[in-house]
Amino acid sequence: MDPKTSAALNRLRLVSSPEAISFLLLLVCSVLKRTTDFNAVPVVGAVHGVLFIVYVLFWADAWNRTKWPLGRAVLYFALSVLPAGGFYAEKLLREEIKSGAIAERARKEPQREESV
């Protein structure tokens, strides 16, 4: 995996969890707004909006660099709009980065001929 592709996946992975946390906080704040006098929706909503936009930008960059099939790209996007989906996206991206690094090392290792 080239460094730019790896960096794009890492950026997407790093924003996945904060985006999921902000989404869950927004849901909690929405409930609190309707049941109490507490109203943090404008602040939490703005933070979540910025994180969601950053996620979408990083998602588009990662899709462009990795050439994911449409199904995988849609999965990562769908996870961004599901509560707690960002946590699962982070896990999948971590595994994808790890498997890419392992494959890269395997390509760089010299091929040994097996003796019979």
Side-chain angles (χ1 to χ4, degrees):
M1 182 179 312
D2 73 65
K4 288 185 178 184
T5 302
S6 179
L9 289 174
N10 266 318
R11 281 191 301 268
L12 182 59
R13 182 184 67 80
L14 289 173
V15 79
S16 295
S17 291
E19 193 273 336
I21 291 168
S22 71
F23 191 10
L24 292 173
L25 283 173
L26 182 58
L27 293 175
V28 168
C29 289
S30 295
V31 170
L32 290 174
K33 176 184 175 184
R34 285 160 179 74
T35 59
T36 67
D37 291 334
F38 183 76
N39 184 11
V41 171
V43 174
V44 177
V47 170
H48 172 66
V50 168
L51 286 171
F52 180 74
I53 290 169
V54 169
Y55 182 97
V56 170
L57 291 173
F58 288 170
W59 166 80
D61 182 42
W63 186 12
N64 182 44
R65 291 185 187 281
T66 60
K67 308 298 184 216
W68 284 324
L70 180 61
R72 177 164 296 228
V74 168
L75 171 68
Y76 283 124
F77 185 81
L79 289 172
S80 74
V81 296
L82 295 174
F87 298 120
Y88 187 62
E90 194 272 336
K91 178 182 181 275
L92 292 176
L93 287 163
R94 189 176 344 114
E95 291 171 0
E96 190 167 334
I97 292 165
K98 184 178 176 182
S99 68
I102 291 170
E104 188 70 26
R105 268 197 310 273
R107 280 193 292 273
K108 288 182 179 180
E109 287 181 7
Q111 297 295 324
R112 290 186 245 157
E113 292 185 29
E114 295 184 25
S115 58
V116 180

